[in-house]
Amino acid sequence: MTWGIQNTEEEAFEMLDYAVSRGVNFIDTAEVYPIPASDPRWVPGTTERIIGRWLASRSAADPGLRSRLVIATKVMGYSPSSETPRHRTDPPGTEDTPAHLDAASVAAAAAASLRRLGVDYIDLLQVHWPERYAPNFGATGYQPDRAAAHGGTVEIKETLGALASLREAGKIRWYGISNETAVGVCAWEAAAEQMGVAPPVSIQNSYSLIHREVENGVDEAIARGSGAGLLAWSPLAGGVLTGKYLGDGGSGGANASGGGDSGNGASPVDGVVAGVGAYRFKTYPRFQKRFMAPRALEATARYQQIARDAGMSLTRLALRWAASRWFMASIIVGATSVAQLAANIDDLDGDGPDGAVTLDPALSAAIDEVYLVYRDPVASI
């Protein structure tokens, strides 16, 4: 999601080449990427275009590459005004409009993603966030007044019908949902059953040591549902769970970037690969600031001590803990360098049956003890 802002196309190509060489086959993007949209260089769809150009260039020498990859992207949810919908046409339109998940918008978003990616089909098309009001992106607790003021009016069945039509046409293979609540997961599955179409195969939500809200009902919906697994985004909480923002890194001292992408020199934190973009939350202090909340950093320090006592980096602990959860389909890492990507892949070496990632039960128990004290410290009302 950084390709096109923090990372150049050349850097993205290098990371994609390396990932494929290590056996990675799942590539996740979205029509709104790269982010954050606050960056003056932001143009929605840029990341998809980069992936599409990489795929075209590499497929010339490896015609079977596309068939070995699982390419996932997302259609944005409701927004009262957005630049993204007008970028679904080529050339783009001139006026920002509200974004909805009505049938025409879903079809237009899918067509634009297919064009930018340069593919005949998308393996997994996900609804990036709901049309209806729902507490997400760190918010917790349903607020009726916010629901009443919310402008999202499209019912799940209309969105689902559009996704089913795309499947029937061979334009997507599967669909998933993202940033959903337990109520939302159950509503999607109920709608699929009532309409006689396939249910969602995945739920992509934020999940990490400092954001375990999935365990407030989404996990039960997964257990009692039709087989959808969790795709965890930001298992390192935007890099906070490397420990690099603790101490000087958290207060803007010598180990953190003071702005832009300068100042990202050698990092003293074990498991952190320094380089351009290594301190994203210093470059973009308003972006995902929930991960930098004081209690989130306090919890991170506690988890870092658990990792040190176990003789591993906090990065390794955080990734392996997330990957080993019973409801996990896969975790999504967002690297800004080949070195960082390599370190993350190394940390996820499979040591269990069929190559599964495992974690010592004693470490899981120690993590849970901290969690009971710092329960979702990134949450806000």
Side-chain angles (χ1 to χ4, degrees):
M1 69 181 188
T2 62
W3 298 344
I5 291 181
Q6 286 182 257
N7 287 111
T8 65
E9 182 165 315
E10 180 181 6
E11 290 167 340
F13 277 30
E14 290 173 353
M15 283 183 267
L16 284 163
D17 287 341
Y18 181 80
V20 170
S21 76
R22 290 292 302 271
V24 173
N25 70 341
F26 182 78
I27 300 172
D28 179 73
T29 186
E31 65 169 337
V32 301
Y33 290 172
I35 54 175
S38 60
D39 191 294
R41 296 166 292 179
W42 177 71
V43 177
T46 298
T47 304
E48 286 184 329
R49 289 189 184 90
I50 289 173
I51 294 170
R53 287 191 287 267
W54 169 81
L55 183 60
S57 68
R58 299 319 189 244
S59 293
D62 183 2
L65 176 62
R66 172 66 187 96
S67 64
R68 299 196 303 273
L69 297 176
V70 177
I71 297 178
T73 191
K74 311 179 196 73
V75 51
M76 71 178 296
Y78 169 73
S79 175
S81 180
S82 174
E83 187 176 328
T84 298
R86 66 182 175 90
H87 281 269
R88 292 170 180 163
T89 59
D90 189 14
T94 58
E95 299 293 331
D96 293 356
T97 62
H100 288 281
L101 287 167
D102 57 281
S105 294
V106 172
S113 291
L114 286 164
R115 183 181 68 250
R116 289 188 291 250
L117 290 164
V119 295
D120 297 324
Y121 64 92
I122 294 164
D123 293 285
L124 178 64
L125 181 61
Q126 303 157 97
V127 174
H128 205 157
W129 62 87
E131 168 85 10
R132 73 187 193 286
Y133 160 75
N136 51 29
F137 298 111
T140 187
Y142 187 84
Q143 304 295 325
D145 56 334
R146 296 180 189 177
H150 194 70
T153 57
V154 179
E155 296 293 332
I156 284 176
K157 285 186 177 180
E158 180 174 349
T159 309
L160 178 52
L163 293 167
S165 294
L166 288 168
R167 285 195 73 216
E168 290 173 4
K171 294 180 180 179
I172 68 172
R173 288 191 167 179
W174 301 101
Y175 75 92
I177 53 182
S178 182
N179 298 298
E180 263 294 4
T181 63
V183 166
V185 173
C186 294
W188 274 93
E189 295 209 342
E193 183 176 4
Q194 292 163 11
M195 295 173 66
V197 300
V201 298
S202 60
I203 305 157
Q204 187 178 146
N205 279 18
S206 170
Y207 187 72
S208 69
L209 288 172
I210 58 174
H211 193 199
R212 293 173 62 170
E213 194 169 3
V214 161
E215 297 171 29
N216 293 338
V218 172
D219 53 350
E220 183 180 4
I222 291 173
R224 298 181 183 277
S226 55
L230 185 72
L231 296 173
W233 65 262
S234 213
L236 293 177
V240 168
L241 287 168
T242 63
K244 65 186 178 183
Y245 290 107
L246 299 178
D248 286 343
S251 61
N255 295 331
S257 170
D261 279 331
S262 62
N264 295 332
S267 173
V269 179
D270 185 25
V272 175
V273 179
V276 173
Y279 288 87
R280 181 184 305 164
F281 294 151
K282 294 300 178 181
T283 305
Y284 305 105
R286 296 181 62 185
F287 178 59
Q288 294 181 338
K289 60 183 181 180
R290 59 188 177 275
F291 292 135
M292 292 285 284
R295 280 181 54 80
L297 294 176
E298 290 175 16
T300 298
R302 295 281 297 272
Y303 291 126
Q304 185 181 62
Q305 189 59 55
I306 293 172
R308 285 175 174 166
D309 291 345
M312 66 175 70
S313 70
L314 176 56
T315 304
R316 183 175 176 84
L317 178 71
L319 290 176
R320 296 188 71 80
W321 173 83
S324 66
R325 305 298 283 172
W326 64 264
F327 43 72
M328 196 63 62
S330 186
I331 64 172
I332 300 171
V333 296
T336 54
S337 69
V338 170
Q340 179 190 357
L341 180 61
N344 288 169
I345 294 173
D346 288 344
D347 283 334
L348 288 166
D349 56 298
D351 57 354
D354 299 320
V357 175
T358 65
L359 191 68
D360 186 333
L363 288 179
S364 294
I367 286 168
D368 287 343
E369 287 296 320
V370 175
Y371 172 63
L372 291 175
V373 177
Y374 293 93
R375 189 180 178 96
D376 290 336
V378 305
S380 62
I381 300 298

